Amino acid sequence: MTPSRDISRLIEIMAALRTPVTGCPWDLEQNFATIAPYTIEEAYEVVEAISRGDLDDLCEELGDLLLQVVFHAQMAEEQNAFAFGDVVEAITRKMIRRHPHVFADKEGNLASSHVKEVWDRIKAEEKAERAARRPPQEAPSHKSLLSGVKAGQPALTRAMELQRKASTVGFDWNDPRAVLAKIREEADEIEAALDRNDSEGLAEETGDLMFALVNLARHVDADPEAALRATNTKFERRFAYIERALEAQGRTLEQASLAEMDALWNEAKSAKQSSPEERKQAGR
């Protein structure tokens, strides 16, 4: 097969990869659950290319993300559930419906301030329609305030949304210092789990601590995902300082002690604090 600008060629390639006997053994072993982590990873790589302002890389990463859509659609078609064309039809129908101010049959413009209001109302209508189409046994027995928070979001983002939803009915702290006290409480519980050598408890308490940290970020108007991304960048920069310093000494990381690396880390920390861009990213 030769490359093509036509989406049909990509669909043909994916179908060939999934063809029993002649296809790719790895691709044939995959299912929705095993591919889902790759889908999330590719979405993050799109975001990373955007943050770097690298449009050439963005083009490639968008292709990788598109492949994920084609992969899922191919597996669904094999189960006679839906095909790629159905995915396209569904999203085009949705976009037309959600933009009546653009695609309406009759003339009439909608003020930009009202666009999101209309979008949210139509989304709610679509959600109700989908719920009505579900078999009765799939209908939830209890309608929770939190049921609208999508499960497929990154964990940090979903934690933030769950907390925001709960806060709308007053289930929230009024002071960031109260959240800080909760963080200390969760840290104490981790220490207690360490004392008990309770691996299961450690995992649970670590999750509780992370949830509390997201709550603190929300209360101080920081985006936890962006804040962690900025810290990752800072870590990489400081670690690179250690590598360069050791290289200048004619040594490798493996030849240095932890104490020596820690001293170089502190040098890096003193030499250059977080850049303005990192601070900006953390506060988004």
Side-chain angles (χ1 to χ4, degrees):
M1 287 188 179
T2 56
S4 172
R5 300 175 69 90
D6 191 335
I7 186 65
S8 63
R9 180 57 55 84
L10 179 59
I11 295 171
E12 290 172 2
I13 291 171
M14 191 70 253
L17 292 173
R18 291 279 298 182
T19 300
V21 182
T22 61
C24 171
W26 185 87
D27 289 278
L28 285 165
E29 289 176 354
Q30 305 312 308
N31 56 47
F32 294 116
T34 61
I35 288 298
Y38 295 102
T39 307
I40 295 171
E41 179 182 341
E42 296 300 350
Y44 276 126
E45 290 184 0
V46 166
V47 174
E48 183 184 354
I50 292 171
S51 67
R52 294 196 313 270
D54 189 339
L55 296 185
D56 288 337
D57 197 32
L58 176 59
C59 178
E60 183 172 341
E61 296 301 345
L62 286 172
D64 291 344
L65 185 58
L66 177 59
L67 175 63
Q68 295 297 308
V69 178
V70 172
F71 205 143
H72 285 288
Q74 174 63 31
M75 291 187 291
E77 185 171 9
E78 292 165 5
Q79 298 178 23
N80 296 318
F82 59 83
F84 182 81
D86 298 310
V87 175
V88 176
E89 182 182 9
I91 189 59
T92 52
R93 182 189 304 112
K94 184 183 296 182
M95 295 305 291
I96 292 169
R97 180 176 180 178
R98 291 185 181 180
H99 295 83
H101 53 294
V102 177
F103 302 111
D105 292 334
K106 57 183 180 180
E107 289 187 7
N109 296 320
L110 188 66
S112 60
S113 58
H114 295 154
V115 169
K116 188 176 186 307
E117 178 183 337
V118 171
W119 176 281
D120 290 340
R121 175 179 57 78
I122 295 174
K123 277 182 66 176
E125 292 173 357
E126 291 170 350
K127 184 177 179 181
E129 290 171 3
R130 287 197 302 271
R133 290 197 300 267
R134 291 194 191 104
Q137 64 270 22
E138 291 186 16
S141 58
H142 168 67
K143 177 66 174 178
S144 171
L145 174 70
L146 305 179
S147 61
V149 181
K150 294 181 179 179
Q153 299 180 84
L156 287 178
T157 303
R158 189 162 191 263
M160 176 80 87
E161 291 302 314
L162 289 169
Q163 293 165 7
R164 281 177 177 160
K165 274 283 190 182
S167 71
T168 62
V169 292
F171 190 74
D172 200 1
W173 280 288
N174 296 321
D175 184 355
R177 293 183 182 276
V179 187
L180 195 57
K182 182 64 176 176
I183 289 172
R184 294 191 180 102
E185 176 188 325
E186 297 296 352
D188 289 341
E189 292 180 2
I190 288 176
E191 187 170 12
L194 281 168
D195 292 339
R196 298 192 307 269
N197 195 27
D198 180 358
S199 59
E200 186 175 331
L202 277 170
E204 181 178 348
E205 298 300 346
T206 299
D208 291 347
L209 176 59
M210 294 175 71
F211 193 83
L213 286 168
V214 171
N215 220 336
L216 179 63
R218 181 173 61 88
H219 276 80
V220 299
D221 295 322
D223 180 338
E225 183 71 29
L228 183 57
R229 192 180 303 120
T231 297
N232 289 342
T233 300
K234 182 167 58 178
F235 180 88
E236 289 176 302
R237 188 183 67 240
R238 292 177 180 174
F239 194 80
Y241 179 94
I242 297 173
E243 291 175 312
R244 289 194 301 270
L246 289 172
E247 185 178 2
Q249 300 172 15
R251 304 168 67 202
T252 65
L253 290 167
E254 292 77 11
Q255 293 170 330
S257 67
L258 177 58
E260 288 173 317
M261 288 190 284
D262 195 45
L264 289 171
W265 174 274
N266 288 331
E267 281 184 21
K269 188 175 179 181
S270 300
K272 186 175 182 181
Q273 299 298 320
S274 299
S275 68
E277 180 60 27
E278 287 169 354
R279 291 194 293 273
K280 181 180 177 183
Q281 287 286 340
R284 281 183 181 172

